[in-house]
Amino acid sequence: MQSLIEGYRNFRETYFQTNRAMFDQLAQGQSPKAMVISCCDSRVDPGLIFSAGPGEIFSLRNVANLVPPFSPDDSYHGTSSAIEFAVRGLGVPDLIIMGHSRCGGIRALLGAHEGDFFGPWMRIAQPALERAINLAGEDDPDELRRICERETLKDSLANLRGFPWIRERIRAGTLTLHGWYFDIEAGLLLALDEDTGEFREL
C-alpha cells in the first residue's frame, strides 16, 4: 500500500503539475477517441499498451474482457451500462475488445472454477470453450487456453452486435468494432480479421 501512496505523491508532484492545463481541460468533460473493453488482469493496461494519455480512452475492464448478450432487465449490468454510456452518451467512434494471452479468467474457466459471481459470469464464455475444445482437443492445455481466449473475443464482438443501438451506429458508419489480442510475452498486438477468423499483427 505504501508504494501506491508514494506513487500518487510522485504523480501529484510531477506529472500533474507539468500537465495542469490538461487536467483543467479534462475537468470540463471528456471526449475519448475510443472505448476499450479489456481484462482486469493486472498485467494488461490499455493506457500503457496504447501510450494513451488521460481522456483518450474510455476504459472498461472486467474478468476475461467479456460482453454479455443484450438483456435489459432490473438486474445489475455494469458492463452493458458502461457500453451504453460510451456509445450513446459519449458517441465514441471506435469500440475495441482487447483479449490477451495467459488470461487467468479463461484458465479458471478451463478448470471449472465456480464462485458466487465468477462462475455465472464466466458462463458467458461457455460457447467459446466448447468450440475451443473442438478445435484444439484437451491434450494441450496451453493451446486450448489460447484458442479459447480468441474464441471468447469473437463471441464478445457478436454480443455487441446484439445491442440495437450499436447495430444502428454500425449501419450509419459512425461506429466501428475491433477485436484485438495482446500477446504478453511477445508484446505484440494482433487484430482479428472477421472475414477469415484469423489474427494478424497490427
Side-chain angles (χ1 to χ4, degrees), residues 64-85:
N65 44 268
L66 299 179
V67 173
F70 180 75
S71 56
D73 55 32
D74 290 334
S75 297
Y76 299 111
H77 295 283
T79 292
S80 298
S81 65
I83 293 168
E84 183 174 28
F85 183 77

Side-chain angles (χ1 to χ4, degrees), residues 7 34 71 80 85 90 98 130 137-138 143 163 173 176-177 183 191:
S71 56
S80 298
F85 183 77
L90 299 175
M98 186 176 72
E130 292 169 4
E138 299 184 68
E143 180 68 2
F163 289 66
T176 303
L177 304 186
D183 185 316

Side-chain angles (χ1 to χ4, degrees), residues 16-85:
F16 180 78
Q17 295 302 330
T18 302
N19 296 279
R20 189 63 184 265
M22 177 187 70
F23 281 95
D24 287 341
Q25 183 177 0
L26 289 172
Q28 306 308 311
Q30 61 174 320
S31 183
K33 298 175 181 177
M35 178 180 194
V36 177
I37 301 173
S38 61
C39 186
C40 51
D41 191 303
S42 62
R43 302 165 295 175
V44 183
D45 182 344
L48 178 66
I49 292 168
F50 299 124
S51 300
E56 292 187 52
I57 290 176
F58 189 85
S59 183
L60 168 64
R61 302 180 72 172
N62 64 36
V63 176
N65 44 268
L66 299 179
V67 173
F70 180 75
S71 56
D73 55 32
D74 290 334
S75 297
Y76 299 111
H77 295 283
T79 292
S80 298
S81 65
I83 293 168
E84 183 174 28
F85 183 77

